[in-house]
Amino acid sequence: MDELFGIPLPLLFGQLLLGLINGAFYAMLSLGLAVIFGLLNVINFTHGAQFMMGAFAAWMLLNWFGVNYWFALILVPIIIGATGIVLEKLMISRLYKLDHLYGLLLTFGIGLVIEGVFRNEFGSSGLPYRIPPELSGAWDLGFMFMPVYRGWVVVFAAAVCLATWLVIEKTSLGANLRAATENPALVQAFGINVPRMVTLTYGAGVALAALGGVLAAPIYSVNPQMGSNLIIVVFAVVVIGGMGSILGSVITGFGLGIVEGLTKVFYPEASATVIFVIMIIVLLARPAGLFGRTA
Amino acid sequence: MASETTATGIVAIPEPTSDGSLWGFSRPQRIAFIVLLVFLGVAPFAGLYPVFLMKLLCFGLFACAFNLLIGYVGLLSFGHAAYFGMGGYIAGHTAKVMGVPPELAIILGGVVGAALGAVFGWVAIRRQGIYFAMITLALSQLVYFVCVQAPFTGGEDGIQAIPRGKLFGIIDLSPDLSMYWVVATVFVIGFLLVHRIVHSPFGMVMKAIKENEPRATSLGYRTDDYKLLAFILSAGLAGVAGATKSLVFGIATLTDVHWSMSGEVVLMTLVGGLGTVFGPLVGAAVIVTMQNYLAEWGAWVTVIQGGIFVACVLAFRRGIVGEIGALLRVKL
């Protein structure tokens, strides 16, 4: 039994693992988008650039300051999250009274600026970020070799998603957040500082993207375009899942990663497009998305 | 007509229609249009390169097509590069491989753009606002990946050495000036078509949908049908613009279907002024000129474009033409 439908099992499991890893990034990024959208009503087009900034921040910390991966995992989300807070205070907060589309255009412009600056500074070719020694090597699982770092990414990303879900669904902070999503004016009337909550939420969403960037740095080469290519797929993931449910966007993210991995095995030509095709099918069958409420 | 005017009661500022104006052009717009025609006639002899002017007009038409959606129906399509680029590929392929004359190649580019727009529009109008933008962006990325792989697009190389051909089989278009008159004519026809659509009873319903969709629905309009038709018209015109551009430059490449092109057309329209008649052309002129002068700056062009985006959204939402119009108290 080392073949399934004529596909060698190591190949199948290898692609499944790659799919899970992509899915982990889809899940983390769409989670951040959903959290931000829930409270700000802004689709954060800068999300891809902030993911890329996370990877670069980890690279800079290591190469310029000698800060290792484990500290980067903590420091980078804080640093990039702080830049997000500044961004929200200075620019995004001015647009809440306007049509939501302006938020999209503004964050798109900011993303262009960030990507352009990094391209000038670092060029378009990728920079290597080596896997931390504690996580290098591979496990022999009997049916395949599993690089330790890849297993770590999947487990860690799943844990982060779960933690985010717990904070939003099970804590009083999360309860305030959900209430402010439903009716900000009423929550403000209860004496909760909603504008500050909005700012911190944006920072947290950005921090999630940056954390994803740190995780991605040793797997993908660190380059200025790494975010923009990913973010469009994540938009499709968000449309498929619907942004109404936190758990929904996590499940959709991982699920679509796996589907993409399987497509690479069975019909490689379609692997770049399969998520978009699924988006079309979902829109035709269930326009609100798999986990969405009708808009 | 009477029933249509009732429907437009939703629109905040009703258009002046009874002053005997031609095709809904108000007096200042008529003057601006005449200035535009004179400019188009004189420009190639006044030291401006025809190729530069043609590029400007192709992007101007593209931006006008995009403006039809965002400015008058309120739909932000973030994937218009798909129709623009596909129009270019179709025109390039038919003109080069099948030897189709240029006028037919341009029309075919428009037809295919419209057909693609019909399918994508039908999918995308199921959601509104931000979702609509994300869906159109994702669909255009689908087109991009198909173009990377499909045999007829030439993948990374694109279609090169596309012949301009002979117009109606008689007039050779290889001299830049001959091609310029064709492009200028295509632009003026497209421009007038957009204006005619906007000022038709159909256009009035479009604006009603933009102002207040539930109310338009309650007045008995099937708003989805109107949105879809507007989307098809816009995609078709974008296809015409892309087809013309590929004939002008003799190449059709992945650049024109990439998402950054979708961003560029949004920027052009935003800079010129969303929902203005002349804004898209002015915005296209500004951005194309800027790209020409800053070409050697490499990635800084992206930074500057992003900066203009931010500045427009934060401080300058009416755009150049919108601001001028507000200053002169006229609609341009």
Side-chain angles (χ1 to χ4, degrees), chain B:
Chain B
M1 201 50 207
S3 66
E4 299 294 345
T5 9
T6 345
T8 61
I10 307 161
V11 183
I13 312 152
E15 295 284 314
T17 44
S18 53
D19 60 351
S21 60
L22 177 71
W23 278 16
F25 273 124
S26 65
R27 212 178 122 80
Q29 285 171 346
R30 225 176 317 166
I31 295 168
F33 184 63
I34 291 167
V35 171
L36 172 67
L37 284 185
V38 171
F39 172 80
L40 288 180
V42 175
F45 308 106
L48 289 165
Y49 291 112
V51 175
F52 171 75
L53 287 169
M54 286 190 277
K55 184 177 178 188
L56 199 158
L57 289 176
C58 289
F59 280 109
L61 181 58
F62 185 25
C64 283
F66 174 76
N67 189 39
L68 182 63
L69 271 186
I70 179 79
Y72 298 102
V73 203
L75 293 174
L76 172 61
S77 159
F78 224 99
H80 252 48
Y83 322 112
F84 183 71
M86 194 46 91
Y89 275 128
I90 294 298
H93 185 76
T94 51
K96 188 183 176 185
V97 181
M98 297 154 77
V100 162
E103 68 277 5
L104 193 57
I106 290 174
I107 291 170
L108 282 173
V111 168
V112 171
L116 197 60
V119 178
F120 284 3
W122 181 65
V123 173
I125 56 170
R126 281 151 208 268
R127 302 299 302 270
Q128 274 127 25
I130 281 165
Y131 281 100
F132 183 85
M134 289 198 287
I135 292 164
T136 46
L137 173 62
L139 290 171
S140 81
Q141 192 74 350
L142 175 68
V143 171
Y144 176 80
F145 281 122
V146 169
C147 287
V148 170
Q149 292 176 343
F152 87 96
T153 61
E156 298 280 342
D157 299 331
I159 307 176
Q160 296 182 354
I162 301 165
R164 285 183 186 168
K166 288 193 164 84
L167 188 69
F168 306 121
I170 318 164
I171 309 160
D172 183 17
L173 293 181
S174 7
D176 283 339
L177 203 57
S178 316
M179 189 69 199
Y180 172 77
W181 297 121
V182 175
V183 176
T185 311
V186 169
F187 174 80
V188 170
I189 292 172
F191 182 85
L192 288 175
L193 184 66
V194 169
H195 198 76
R196 186 72 195 92
I197 292 167
V198 170
H199 289 87
S200 66
F202 170 77
M204 292 297 166
V205 182
M206 274 170 34
K207 284 183 220 167
I209 292 171
K210 184 188 179 205
E211 298 291 329
N212 191 336
E213 187 174 346
R215 187 142 175 218
T217 311
S218 75
L219 283 167
Y221 292 106
R222 292 166 179 260
T223 52
D224 276 359
D225 292 359
Y226 284 86
K227 285 199 260 183
L228 181 57
L229 188 52
F231 199 92
I232 294 171
L233 289 167
S234 173
L237 274 173
V240 168
T244 315
K245 179 177 174 267
S246 74
L247 288 184
V248 169
F249 289 96
I251 49 167
T253 61
L254 287 172
T255 319
D256 290 347
V257 278
H258 192 249
W259 59 263
S260 49
M261 183 59 77
S262 302
E264 254 169 50
V265 76
V266 179
L267 181 61
M268 289 171 186
T269 315
L270 191 63
V271 167
L274 299 177
T276 60
V277 182
F278 295 94
L281 179 63
V282 173
V286 169
I287 300 298
V288 169
T289 312
M290 191 195 80
Q291 286 171 343
N292 261 28
Y293 279 102
L294 299 180
E296 73 264 35
W297 286 43
W300 285 114
V301 178
T302 319
V303 179
I304 294 167
Q305 284 187 346
I308 297 177
F309 246 112
V310 172
C312 280
V313 173
L314 286 179
F316 195 50
R317 280 184 288 275
R318 281 188 289 213
I320 295 171
V321 172
E323 292 288 347
I324 294 174
L327 216 62
L328 303 175
R329 291 163 195 248
V330 291
K331 282 193 81 169
L332 284 174

